[in-house]
Amino acid sequence: MATNDARWTAIPEVGHTADQVLADLAATKAHDRDWRSGKVFSLVYSAGDPIHELHAEALRLFSAENGLNVMAFPSIGILSRDLVGFAVDLLGGGVPTVNGYLTSGGTESLLQTMKVARDVGRERGIARPKVIAARSAHAAFTKAAELFDLELVRVGVTAGFTLDLDQMEEAIDERTIMLVGSAPTYPHGVIDPLEAIGAIALEHDLLFHVDACLGGFLLPWLTELGHVTTPFTFAIDGVTSMSADLHKYGYASKGVSVILYRDKTLARHQVFLTEDWMGGLYGSTVLAGTRPAGPIAAAWATVMRLGRQGYLELAETTWQAARRLIAGVGEIPGLMVLGEPDMTVLAIGATATAGINVFGVADELSRSGGWYLDRQSDPDALHLTVHAGSAPSVEPFLADLTVATATVTGKGEGDRSVPYATDQL
Ligand SMILES: *Cc1c(COP(=O)(O)O)cnc(C)c1O
């Protein structure tokens, strides 16, 4: 990739051959983390190569269509509706009025629910409505609060890393419009006390969003398998909206999440419609205008290909891998799993007296075995997202973790400068 300028790549005068650009693309990926190796406990969820190939075919079939307009491309409307329906089936809790929309990801689902909360707050005459969430709730709530001029109050967590109900109740005032709970939280994989939050929401006439971005397409299967008994759906009184990411444990390719609302009145706030320009009537239910249809098709193909049986098998594999990992970490001197993970994501910390810097452990794991883990702070921890594709890596990981931990014990600082998501800031 030649460049005339030290900073930027120039557009080639004459186009390269297709073979050449594809080879260049492959070469550009050379230093990316090899998630197929099973050594990346973050960012990628894999149900195996045949599903990735199915994604590629579906993306190819819909690569040019525009998801903006379902009049021109009714197929996209049909596929989207099906995907929302699948989520209603899993999370609706038997409430007949539950409905929703497809979004581009968990962040957009949260942006949408926060925008709806802002609108409902303003309808109630609150100039700058307030939303209360735990410090463990996803960073996208903070992004949404900045974008939509809401005040986000973050309350603490208990010793088990679930939302502190007392602090939440104390934070409620006349400007409060919405409470947030996670199923489960990203940092520690624990489910917040959702039924109790729902009761508080009803008592104070507040909205209540359950962020099931991570758990929405896994907890239902784990419940069916008997591994999870905590409720997390619209069956909980007081829940007014839920988010669930198809591109996480739905094993879809990137770019698809669902936002669900208890009723149409709430959902209507998400619909944008205008004639206030020269281009005619323009309507949209998402943040983007032109948007890719490929991810929608690929998500649909994934759900239809896997079916209930496929998802149940993947869920069982993932559950067993996570339980083995949790037990194995507990056996390594100086390390501990933070809290009691309800699902299949977990955080590894060091015991108070161990003299172990977990970031040093991560550095050593990366150096010795090419393992990639997210780094968290307050308390310092390493984060693991376990998915079906992680299962074969569990034993080798535990072996390397044991060695890495012994290597860094008593050796001071590790590199904490590898944040969760920076893009290229
Ligand atoms: C991943 C995640 C999000 C954000 O989703 P993106 O798809 O990364 O935008 C929100 N909440 C939770 C709990 C998540 O795990």
Side-chain angles (χ1 to χ4, degrees):
M1 302 219 170
T3 164
N4 299 327
D5 180 295
R7 292 173 306 150
W8 309 107
T9 301
I11 297 173
E13 192 58 39
V14 177
H16 299 178
T17 64
D19 283 348
Q20 182 63 51
V21 296
L22 291 174
D24 283 348
L25 281 177
T28 307
K29 289 184 83 178
H31 299 292
D32 289 0
R33 291 287 174 164
D34 176 16
W35 56 267
R36 275 179 210 275
S37 67
K39 293 189 166 181
V40 179
F41 283 102
S42 172
L43 301 166
V44 175
Y45 298 72
S46 178
D49 280 343
I51 293 297
H52 293 294
E53 280 153 26
L54 183 67
H55 293 165
E57 285 305 310
L59 290 166
R60 181 207 297 270
L61 212 58
F62 280 81
S63 68
E65 282 70 15
N66 190 337
L68 171 63
N69 192 321
V70 297
M71 310 289 234
F73 306 114
S75 59
I76 296 155
I78 293 166
L79 301 177
S80 301
R81 200 186 146 71
D82 280 356
L83 288 166
V84 171
F86 300 150
V88 170
D89 190 29
L90 292 175
L91 304 170
V95 178
T97 52
V98 171
N99 65 104
Y101 299 105
L102 222 56
T103 69
S104 61
T107 297
E108 187 184 348
S109 291
L110 299 185
L111 292 178
Q112 294 290 0
T113 197
M114 290 285 273
K115 198 277 229 196
V116 168
R118 200 270 315 269
D119 290 355
V120 173
R122 288 191 179 164
E123 275 177 5
R124 293 186 188 182
I126 309 169
R128 189 158 183 260
K130 191 160 135 178
V131 173
I132 306 172
R135 282 175 44 234
S136 53
H138 197 272
F141 285 105
T142 301
K143 183 187 262 188
E146 288 189 12
L147 282 169
F148 301 127
D149 196 26
L150 289 148
E151 185 187 346
L152 180 67
V153 177
R154 287 196 180 260
V155 297
V157 295
T158 64
F161 295 94
T162 57
L163 178 140
D164 186 316
L165 285 167
D166 293 337
Q167 289 186 31
M168 178 172 257
E169 269 204 279
E170 270 168 37
I172 294 172
D173 64 16
E174 66 286 348
R175 286 202 294 121
T176 306
I177 191 63
M178 185 161 79
L179 307 179
V180 169
S182 301
T185 65
Y186 178 85
H188 309 104
V190 293
I191 301 176
D192 283 329
L194 304 176
E195 287 176 297
I197 301 172
I200 298 171
L202 285 174
E203 187 191 327
H204 295 268
D205 190 23
L206 302 173
L207 302 178
F208 173 26
H209 182 80
V210 172
D211 180 7
C213 280
L214 204 44
F217 283 88
L218 180 53
L219 288 173
W221 311 120
L222 293 176
T223 302
E224 207 165 317
L225 291 164
H227 298 312
V228 169
T229 52
T230 316
F232 54 88
T233 70
F234 279 97
I236 297 172
D237 289 336
V239 175
T240 53
S241 58
M242 288 191 75
S243 47
D245 292 353
L246 276 149
H247 65 201
K248 286 180 181 157
Y249 286 102
Y251 294 106
S253 65
K254 300 285 187 285
V256 199
S257 171
V258 177
I259 174 79
L260 298 178
Y261 299 97
R262 184 173 281 270
D263 58 56
K264 273 267 181 246
T265 327
L266 277 178
R268 259 207 307 272
H269 288 287
Q270 194 175 320
V271 182
F272 174 77
L273 211 56
T274 190
E275 281 187 284
D276 182 29
W277 74 321
M278 296 168 86
L281 182 67
Y282 184 105
S284 153
T285 58
V286 293
L287 293 172
T290 290
R291 64 174 175 144
I296 299 170
W300 189 90
T302 307
V303 179
M304 297 304 280
R305 174 73 189 92
L306 288 172
R308 289 176 36 79
Q309 264 181 27
Y311 277 114
L312 284 164
E313 280 167 26
L314 291 166
E316 181 64 24
T317 302
T318 310
W319 176 262
Q320 295 306 341
R323 291 312 107 179
R324 172 68 193 112
L325 210 43
I326 291 166
V329 169
E331 286 163 13
I332 299 173
L335 296 186
M336 61 190 279
V337 170
L338 302 185
E340 290 178 25
D342 288 304
M343 207 178 75
T344 54
V345 294
L346 58 130
I348 302 175
T351 56
T353 55
I356 295 169
N357 181 304
V358 287
F359 301 129
V361 176
D363 292 343
E364 186 58 26
L365 279 169
S366 175
R367 194 162 36 233
S368 65
W371 299 98
Y372 180 87
L373 287 77
D374 287 335
R375 297 166 196 229
Q376 305 185 153
S377 52
D378 197 20
D380 290 350
L382 305 178
H383 185 271
L384 280 83
T385 300
V386 183
H387 55 95
S390 316
S393 312
V394 169
E395 296 305 332
F397 173 73
L398 286 171
D400 282 6
L401 180 63
T402 306
V403 175
T405 305
T407 307
V408 306
T409 298
K411 289 221 181 108
E413 286 291 304
D415 183 0
R416 30 167 73 248
S417 66
V418 189
Y420 168 65
T422 54
D423 296 327
Q424 295 200 336
L425 296 176

